[in-house]
Amino acid sequence: MRIILIGYGVVGQSLTDIFLQRKIENLRNYGFNPKVVAITDRGGAAINIKGLDLKRIQSIKKREGTVAADSVFGHRQMSGQDIIQSIEAEIMIEATSTNITTGEPGISNIKTAFNTGKHVVTTNKGPLALSFPTLIELAEHNKVLLRFSGTVGGGTPILEFAKKCLEGDRIKEIHGILNGTTNYILTEMAEKKVTFEKALESAQKLGYAETNPAMDIDGLDSAAKVVIIGNWIMNKKFTLKDVDIIGIRDITLNALEIASKKGKRIKLIGSIDGKPTVAPKEIERNDPLCVNGVLNAVTFVSEYAGRETIIGRGAGGIETASAVLRDLLDIKHHLANKILS
Ligand code: HSE
C-alpha cells in the first residue's frame, strides 16, 4: 500500500516509529505492507517511489529539521499539493496542523487527494470541523474513503466504539470531555491549586496543547470534535459555526473549590443533546465521565444499550499515530471486501 504523508510533526514521526517497530507483525497479522513514497514538512519533501527508508528519513529530520535535506531524495521546492498531484499512491495521510479558521492547507490537500483517486486518513480536525458534510459527499462522489479516528480521543477508539459497537442502536445523546489540555489544566488547578497560567504552561511542555493553545482553552478543539462525532455518529449535518461554545478562561480556583465542597468537579463538556454545545459544567465526582489529567471520556446514551462511557488518553503523538494505523487497516479491509463507504 503506497502512502503519502503530508505533515511530519509529532504524529507523523510517531507513525513512522510504529511502521518501523511493527513491520513484521503488520505483515504477518494483516498482510499490511505500508510503503511510504513521499513525506512533506514545512521545508519541502522527500520522495522515493520505491519506498522511503524511514530510519534514514527520521535521522535526517532530527538532524536537519526537514526531510527535504536528504541529499538523494529531498526536494526543497515541492509543496504538499505538488506531491499529492504528481505522486501515485493509494493513500494520503493529512497530518498538518489544525487551522480552525480556514481549514487550510488540510481542506485543499484532502480535495486534491480525492480528485486524484486517493483514500484519505486525516488527524487534522480543521477540514472536518468546517466542512464535514461536503468532504463526506466529495469522498463518496470520487469513490474513495475518508477516515479520521485520530481526530477524536487521540488513540482511544471513541468513534469506532459508537459506529461499530453500537451499530443498530440509536444514540440519543452524547456528553464528553473531549480535550486533554483543558482537562489537564482543570485537574491541576483543582488538585494542586496551581494557577491557570502555570497549568497551561505545563500542558504545553508536555505537548498536549494545540500549536495555538487558544483552540483548547476557548473550547474550539472540543467543538471541532463535537462536529465530527455529531456528523459521523448521529448523522447530523452541522459545522463549527452551529456549536455554542464557552471555554475555560473564566474558571477560577475559587469556583473549583466551591464545586469540590459539593462533591463535584468542573469539566469542559461537549454535548449533543438538542443543540450542540461546549461549556464548563459541574459534574458529580463519581460520574464515570469525571476523569482527570489528560484523559478524555465520552458517555453515549443509546435507546437500548443505555449509558456507556469510554475513557482513554485523548492526546499525544504515539496515541494519535495508533489511530492512524487503525484507519489504514480499516481502509485495507474495506478495499479487500470492495466496500467503499
Ligand atoms: N490539543 C488536543 C487536546 C490534542 O488537548 O486534546 C488532541 O486533539
Side-chain angles (χ1 to χ4, degrees), residues 173-199:
E173 292 166 36
I174 291 174
H175 307 277
I177 294 176
L178 298 166
N179 181 269
T181 303
T182 46
N183 201 28
Y184 177 85
I185 291 172
L186 292 172
T187 306
E188 289 285 291
M189 287 173 74
E191 286 182 356
K192 299 188 188 151
K193 316 279 176 251
V194 299
T195 61
F196 176 85
E197 288 74 20
K198 270 238 144 23

Side-chain angles (χ1 to χ4, degrees), residues 76-281:
R76 295 218 182 246
Q77 306 305 327
M78 286 192 89
S79 68
Q81 278 292 308
D82 299 332
I83 296 288
I84 302 165
Q85 260 155 9
S86 61
I87 303 291
E88 280 189 29
E90 282 70 47
I91 297 196
M92 188 275 286
I93 299 173
E94 222 298 332
T96 63
S97 49
T98 296
N99 179 322
I100 216 77
T101 317
T102 64
E104 295 296 354
I107 289 185
S108 300
N109 287 341
I110 293 174
K111 286 184 175 169
T112 306
F114 288 167
N115 288 335
T116 52
K118 295 174 181 74
H119 307 286
V120 172
V121 175
T122 180
T123 58
N124 181 348
K125 287 158 280 196
L128 301 177
L130 300 174
S131 307
F132 196 106
T134 313
L135 290 174
I136 289 288
E137 261 178 40
L138 263 181
E140 280 167 8
H141 177 76
N142 285 284
K143 298 190 170 41
V144 289
L145 297 165
L146 173 63
R147 290 292 182 268
F148 37 82
S149 303
T151 58
V152 180
T156 311
I158 291 173
L159 296 176
E160 290 101 319
F161 173 75
K163 191 86 176 168
K164 293 181 184 163
C165 303
L166 291 173
E167 201 173 9
D169 208 331
R170 191 169 66 86
I171 298 171
K172 298 187 295 184
E173 292 166 36
I174 291 174
H175 307 277
I177 294 176
L178 298 166
N179 181 269
T181 303
T182 46
N183 201 28
Y184 177 85
I185 291 172
L186 292 172
T187 306
E188 289 285 291
M189 287 173 74
E191 286 182 356
K192 299 188 188 151
K193 316 279 176 251
V194 299
T195 61
F196 176 85
E197 288 74 20
K198 270 238 144 23
L200 170 61
E201 206 181 294
S202 145
Q204 283 177 302
K205 274 199 194 123
L206 290 165
Y208 303 144
E210 295 295 313
T211 317
N212 172 7
M215 261 194 62
D216 299 297
I217 297 156
D218 294 329
L220 289 162
D221 178 75
S222 296
K225 292 165 182 168
V226 163
V227 171
I228 296 166
I229 296 174
N231 279 268
W232 188 237
I233 305 301
M234 297 170 88
N235 291 322
K236 308 270 185 199
K237 297 266 180 288
F238 63 85
T239 62
L240 197 62
K241 62 179 172 10
D242 303 307
V243 185
D244 283 347
I245 310 170
I246 304 172
I248 63 159
R249 275 185 204 270
D250 296 333
I251 302 296
T252 58
L253 283 169
N254 190 35
L256 289 162
E257 182 69 30
I258 293 169
S260 177
K261 284 192 178 133
K262 292 188 279 183
K264 296 186 176 188
R265 282 285 171 93
I266 297 177
K267 298 289 181 185
L268 186 65
I269 306 289
S271 290
I272 309 171
D273 177 13
K275 191 165 173 37
T277 58
V278 171
K281 286 185 186 150

